[in-house]
Amino acid sequence: MQIWTGQSYPLGATFDGSGTNFALFSEAAERVELCLFDEDGTERRIEVTEVDAYVWHISLPSVQPGQRYGYRVHGPFDPANGQRCDPSKLLLDPYAKAIAGMATNHPSLYSYDFEDPTQRNTEDSAAHTMHSVVVSPYFDWGTDHPPAHDYHDTVIYEAHVKGLTMQHPDIDESIRGTYVAMGHPAIIEHLKSLGVTAVELMPVHQFVQDGHLVEKGLRNYWGYNTIGFFAPHNEYSYAGDTGQQVQEFKQMVKTLHEADIEVILDVVYNHTAEGNHMGPTLCFRGIDNSAYYRLVEEDKAHYYDTTGTGNSLLMRTPHVLQLIMDSLRYWVTEMHVDGFRFDLASTLARELHEVDRLSAFFDIIQQDPVISQVKLIAEPWALGEGGYQVGGFPPLWSEWNGSYRDTVRDFHRSEPGVLGEFSSRLAGSSDLYQHTGRTPIASINFVTAHDGFTLHDLVSYNERHNEANGEGGNDGESHNRSWNSGAEGPTDDEDVLTLRERRAKNLMATLLLSQGVPMILHGDEMGRTQQGNNNTYCQDDELSWMDWNLDRTQQEMLRFTREMIALRREHAIFRRRRFLQGVVREDVDSNLPDVEWLRTDGTPMTPEDWDQPQNKCLTVFLNGSAIPEPNERGEQIVDDSALILFNASGNDVIFTLPGKDHGEVWTVEVGTGGTLEVGAEIAAGESITRPSHSFLVLLRPPAGSDPEETAIEDLEKPELA
């Protein structure tokens, strides 16, 4: 085998069409061996002798895509001083583009003896760990281009590659649960008919199956346990872990783009799968422990943990920052993804003991010409002091708005004293974002997500039911802000079932009528249940997977969700690019404000009304003739105006429409409960009775317009359910 010196950049294994260059950073290393593996597991070790600026490099002209490899790093093993080099452990390449196999919970992966942790364990781990794989970078993208939907037009669908596709009857069983299935026409058709513009995929970076879960017959379903920041998870590959997963992932993205659907990745850059000081040595720990991880200053044998997972990456070192930035840039430029949702993003910003929103990480992203141009979404909470940072991220970022989730849940379960905050969340949460110059798109609105109850379970359970997780029912959130509607779990009570259906629709409608960017949890559009389990992180089975066999209620929920997304898409008043002002503006042709908050008698809310803790009803007027932001051609946007009537109380309530100055006649568009039919007309000042736990949307066209020109596309609209 020919051995050339190679180049120190780029890091990782780079195939150039003839051979492969290998480059690995390690400041701690004294020697580095590149290990090549044949199909039968035979290992060949090649000494890497070239090193520049702590990057060890070598080029092998004969190595082709598909070659499995790893590293053995020789250096100090001194945990008390933060050094854990151990050449008996085969290490993954941090820049591996594909990874083969899955680590077991074998003792050889650990540098200590299970029976006596004070003793070293030098058993070779190669047969029980994962291998890096050389991949070909070549792929025919054709005319692929990013859909680039404006944020205010975006509807996000949080999905799991396996969970969404594993039980679809129109997908061949051999490809279910894979990237190939995610791009299947049946999935594309569902997403298109629903009207979503982006899928936000739960972690697809290579992750590890936790040993303690496997021992209990469970699996890491969610995948928040990353070990490969450049590699698509190999268990989602139809062709297996030969490196073909890269091609399959690219084809999935290409297919979704052809359907005008963006791909956003849920990424975990705050920690790795190596865990705490008792965890396995798989990659970073054995390469350069103190360069990659935050260690306790007074006790460097232990890790400073702000994630609750055992370790935190050391964001203050240039090599960790480079790793993350290189990874993000790779997924945009080579894999063509359209954005990222950052798990526990506050941890990425944490420097010393506090969250610094102007930390190096955000500064670097701000100036990056590639990453700064895609969708960036933060999960703005983490463990420890200052960990909850809703509203604290830079202007470039959007955030999962946990305050939105909590307030909307409370309002629709009739909690007292939340009406004022509910109006703020409905209007885009300007109280959280406007002071930093941000707009409504800073708020990713959601009622449910993978972590917690599904929408069906939110209206069907008061308590979590997590017994299947094997933790005595103690895991998961205990304060869910849920209400079972009168019975816990499955029931034959028709009144309870009717109320649950109405409340689920109310929550979905509120989400899609709110300013900001809505995110729907996959399956909520069709009443998916997890049987009250609010923490299915380890349930890789039918409990978590989508069931595509729908009963009447589920079919109706799907129809309703499609209708609500279409309503949002066709009306700019529900997806404004700037915050509502609540005043009459001189730059629009209207003598009414862009929004008014009205009492049930049709008159404006007073400060005393907002302060009434038992007030659970609200009418919202949205003025379609008072949208100051122009369209892409510079023209003023003129839309229908809307009245939204919310009754979150447990009683029937009489609502009176405002006077003729707001519009002479209003048309019923969509709602829940009552006997009003879609298309019915209601005159200004008229009173109608709205049942408990219901909403209603009324529309009127702008003055002087042709109603047919402003109507949304024809949809099947039965009587209000």
Side-chain angles (χ1 to χ4, degrees), residues 643 645 655-658 663-669 676-677 679-690 696-700:
L643 285 175
L645 282 58
F655 283 77
T656 301
L657 271 58
E664 295 192 2
V665 178
W666 295 85
T667 302
V668 174
E669 182 64 29
L676 287 171
E677 294 185 359
E681 294 185 343
I682 305 174
E686 186 175 337
S687 296
I688 56 175
T689 299
R690 297 299 300 144
L696 183 68
V697 175
L698 306 172
L699 295 179
R700 69 158 176 82

Side-chain angles (χ1 to χ4, degrees), residues 507-543:
L507 288 159
M508 181 66 76
T510 301
L511 175 65
L512 292 164
L513 294 172
S514 297
Q515 307 298 325
V517 182
M519 184 186 78
I520 299 170
L521 171 63
H522 83 222
D524 277 356
E525 76 276 18
M526 54 180 66
R528 181 174 72 90
T529 179
Q530 294 174 169
Q531 300 175 24
N533 192 317
N534 72 351
N535 189 33
T536 58
Y537 78 101
C538 58
Q539 298 296 328
D540 189 2
D541 52 32
E542 290 84 353
L543 185 64

Side-chain angles (χ1 to χ4, degrees), residues 488-616:
E488 187 74 358
T491 180
D492 295 327
D493 189 316
E494 288 297 330
D495 290 338
V496 171
L497 294 174
T498 298
L499 179 57
R500 287 178 180 176
E501 180 179 358
R502 195 157 75 230
R503 292 184 58 232
K505 287 183 174 181
N506 294 343
L507 288 159
M508 181 66 76
T510 301
L511 175 65
L512 292 164
L513 294 172
S514 297
Q515 307 298 325
V517 182
M519 184 186 78
I520 299 170
L521 171 63
H522 83 222
D524 277 356
E525 76 276 18
M526 54 180 66
R528 181 174 72 90
T529 179
Q530 294 174 169
Q531 300 175 24
N533 192 317
N534 72 351
N535 189 33
T536 58
Y537 78 101
C538 58
Q539 298 296 328
D540 189 2
D541 52 32
E542 290 84 353
L543 185 64
S544 297
W545 302 340
M546 288 265 283
D547 183 354
W548 293 87
N549 297 310
L550 308 183
D551 60 24
R552 183 210 63 80
T553 301
Q554 292 172 315
Q555 291 174 350
E556 168 59 19
M557 188 67 191
L558 177 58
R559 183 208 63 80
F560 176 83
T561 305
R562 287 170 173 162
E563 180 179 355
M564 290 306 307
I565 293 176
L567 180 68
R568 179 183 181 87
R569 180 178 65 244
E570 296 298 330
H571 288 285
I573 50 173
F574 302 126
R575 45 182 178 81
R576 294 275 301 266
R577 292 191 294 111
R578 298 289 183 266
F579 284 115
L580 298 162
Q581 300 296 315
V583 297
V584 177
R585 301 178 60 111
E586 296 181 357
D587 53 350
V588 297
D589 186 17
S590 177
N591 59 0
L592 293 170
D594 52 7
V595 63
E596 279 191 291
W597 311 97
L598 307 175
R599 307 191 311 182
T600 56
D601 64 3
T603 62
M605 291 280 289
T606 67
E608 292 75 22
D609 294 325
W610 291 115
D611 291 338
Q612 289 295 323
Q614 299 307 315
N615 193 353
K616 302 171 184 177

Side-chain angles (χ1 to χ4, degrees), residues 414-492:
S414 296
E415 284 295 291
V418 299
L419 190 63
E421 187 170 359
F422 174 74
S423 67
S424 294
R425 303 297 154 249
L426 190 73
S429 298
S430 61
D431 56 324
L432 299 178
Y433 304 113
Q434 192 170 29
H435 68 284
T436 56
R438 301 164 79 183
T439 63
I441 65 170
S443 180
I444 304 296
N445 298 330
F446 68 104
V447 176
T448 57
H450 68 272
D451 187 1
F453 281 146
T454 65
L455 184 60
H456 172 277
D457 291 357
L458 188 67
V459 300
S460 305
Y461 293 89
N462 285 348
E463 308 296 336
R464 61 191 175 191
H465 296 266
N466 297 358
E467 292 75 18
N469 296 355
E471 300 178 41
N474 295 317
D475 62 296
E477 175 60 60
S478 59
H479 183 45
N480 294 286
R481 303 174 189 266
S482 62
W483 174 39
N484 63 20
S485 306
E488 187 74 358
T491 180
D492 295 327

Side-chain angles (χ1 to χ4, degrees), residues 106-359:
H106 194 270
S108 64
L109 299 180
Y110 299 82
S111 294
Y112 61 90
D113 186 271
F114 278 4
E115 296 182 0
D116 183 2
T118 64
Q119 299 298 312
R120 282 287 301 277
N121 173 18
T122 58
E123 183 180 358
D124 195 298
S125 69
H128 303 282
T129 191
M130 300 171 284
H131 296 170
S132 306
V133 183
V134 177
V135 303
S136 170
Y138 306 112
F139 177 78
D140 183 8
W141 283 104
T143 59
D144 180 73
H145 63 278
H149 294 295
D150 287 338
Y151 246 134
H152 67 282
D153 293 329
T154 296
V155 177
I156 298 174
Y157 187 77
E158 188 192 25
H160 189 286
V161 169
K162 188 173 185 180
L164 182 64
T165 65
M166 196 62 187
Q167 297 189 105
H168 199 294
D170 295 335
I171 299 177
D172 189 272
E173 290 187 14
S174 65
I175 63 172
R176 292 179 185 176
T178 69
Y179 304 119
V180 177
M182 190 68 201
H184 190 279
I187 299 299
I188 299 297
E189 192 279 331
H190 176 72
L191 297 173
K192 290 294 290 181
S193 68
L194 193 58
V196 299
T197 67
V199 290
E200 181 177 301
L201 298 180
M202 290 180 65
V204 295
H205 288 177
Q206 184 69 47
F207 59 86
V208 172
Q209 295 295 341
D210 308 65
H212 73 280
L213 292 178
V214 174
E215 289 175 357
K216 293 191 294 185
L218 302 171
R219 287 170 56 81
N220 184 341
Y221 173 64
W222 286 354
Y224 291 96
N225 204 21
T226 303
I227 196 64
F229 295 110
F230 295 78
H233 187 62
N234 56 29
E235 292 179 308
Y236 300 154
S237 172
Y238 165 68
D241 53 14
T242 61
Q244 190 63 28
Q245 59 262 45
V246 177
Q247 303 294 314
E248 292 178 17
F249 185 93
K250 290 179 177 179
Q251 184 59 53
M252 175 195 72
V253 173
K254 182 179 178 181
T255 303
L256 286 164
H257 281 182
E258 289 171 351
D260 202 31
I261 297 171
E262 294 178 299
V263 179
I264 299 170
L265 301 187
D266 192 340
V267 291
V268 188
Y269 290 112
N270 50 71
H271 72 279
T272 80
E274 291 186 299
N276 63 17
H277 63 287
M278 302 298 285
T281 298
L282 305 173
C283 181
F284 310 93
R285 192 196 310 277
I287 293 173
D288 197 331
N289 186 61
S290 62
Y292 280 111
Y293 292 117
R294 289 194 68 179
L295 306 177
V296 177
E297 288 294 333
E298 312 81 45
D299 182 9
K300 293 186 177 180
H302 292 84
Y303 295 85
Y304 190 94
D305 180 15
T306 60
T307 65
T309 59
N311 64 58
S312 300
L313 283 172
L314 182 58
M315 297 300 298
R316 286 177 287 167
T317 64
H319 299 289
V320 171
L321 288 173
Q322 180 186 0
L323 172 78
I324 295 174
M325 297 302 292
D326 286 349
S327 170
L328 291 169
R329 204 174 295 113
Y330 172 80
W331 287 96
V332 175
T333 59
E334 296 296 323
M335 307 297 261
H336 286 208
V337 304
D338 304 283
F340 305 95
R341 178 264 188 188
F342 292 79
D343 178 63
L344 299 179
S346 295
T347 300
L348 300 177
R350 194 184 299 271
E351 308 221 2
L352 301 177
H353 297 283
E354 61 186 19
V355 174
D356 173 11
R357 73 181 191 87
L358 296 178
S359 70

